Amino acid sequence: MRILGVDPGLATVGFGVIESDKGRLTHIRHGAITTPPDWPLPRRLLGIADDLLAIIEVFKPQSAAVEELFFCKNVTTGLAVAHGRGVILMTLARREVPVFSYKPAQIKQAVAGYGGADKRQVMEMTRYLLRLGAPPHPDDAADALAAAICHAHAAGSMLGDSTLGGAGSQSQSRRS
């Protein structure tokens, strides 16, 4: 199964593509979508959508793991990230890529074995699990790869059910 992991943002959106086959994880690609801070919000969101569409077209993921937002002290930053996440979810839905959402603690637990792991631990375990020569950079891409790994573990533990049984939540889209 090809999985696209996404770490939402507005200035930087991390992405990571992995392949999961019978428990074996293979790194395909990772990187970041960036938008200039001097662009107006609508243009930045369009840039994220366009770049994400290109990634979907090239790598053809069978599912996507998107990190859920946690509320930070800076409301302005939280709203900007929420705008970016909304565009990401819409873009994935447009291409009919099943989307699964994971809380940051779930991702850390799946990758590092501890929901309170720090960023360095997550990056190092991501490097180890994907057999990379160095921890993935930028941090946003490492977080996206970790989300994809989390989904690979959750999807691998599904017992013929279309839900994740509490491991993550799938976004459903309905057309009228």
Side-chain angles (χ1 to χ4, degrees), residues 1-131:
M1 169 176 33
R2 185 159 286 189
I3 303 166
L4 169 63
V6 183
D7 180 38
L10 182 63
T12 306
V13 175
F15 74 89
V17 182
I18 66 168
E19 192 82 33
S20 176
D21 184 27
K22 298 177 185 161
R24 181 167 173 80
L25 302 175
T26 304
H27 172 264
I28 305 296
R29 174 76 54 89
H30 70 272
I33 297 168
T34 59
T35 63
D38 59 329
W39 282 7
L41 178 62
R43 184 172 176 199
R44 293 177 88 178
L45 296 175
L46 183 59
I48 291 168
D50 288 347
D51 287 355
L52 186 58
L53 278 171
I55 292 164
I56 293 167
E57 293 304 313
V58 169
F59 296 105
K60 301 182 182 357
Q62 295 163 297
S63 61
V66 180
E67 187 172 323
E68 286 185 11
L69 301 180
F70 61 93
F71 290 95
C72 53
K73 293 177 184 175
N74 185 337
V75 175
T76 303
T77 301
L79 287 174
V81 174
H83 286 307
R85 188 170 193 275
V87 166
I88 290 161
L89 296 176
M90 180 201 68
T91 303
L92 291 164
R94 277 235 163 104
R95 289 296 183 248
E96 299 182 355
V97 178
V99 176
F100 296 85
S101 294
Y102 296 93
K103 292 176 174 55
Q106 288 175 295
I107 295 169
K108 292 174 182 181
Q109 175 72 34
V111 174
Y114 171 56
D118 64 32
K119 189 165 284 292
R120 184 191 55 75
Q121 291 169 314
V122 172
M123 289 177 72
E124 184 55 34
M125 284 305 298
T126 299
R127 181 205 63 76
Y128 175 78
L129 291 169
L130 295 175
R131 296 173 306 284

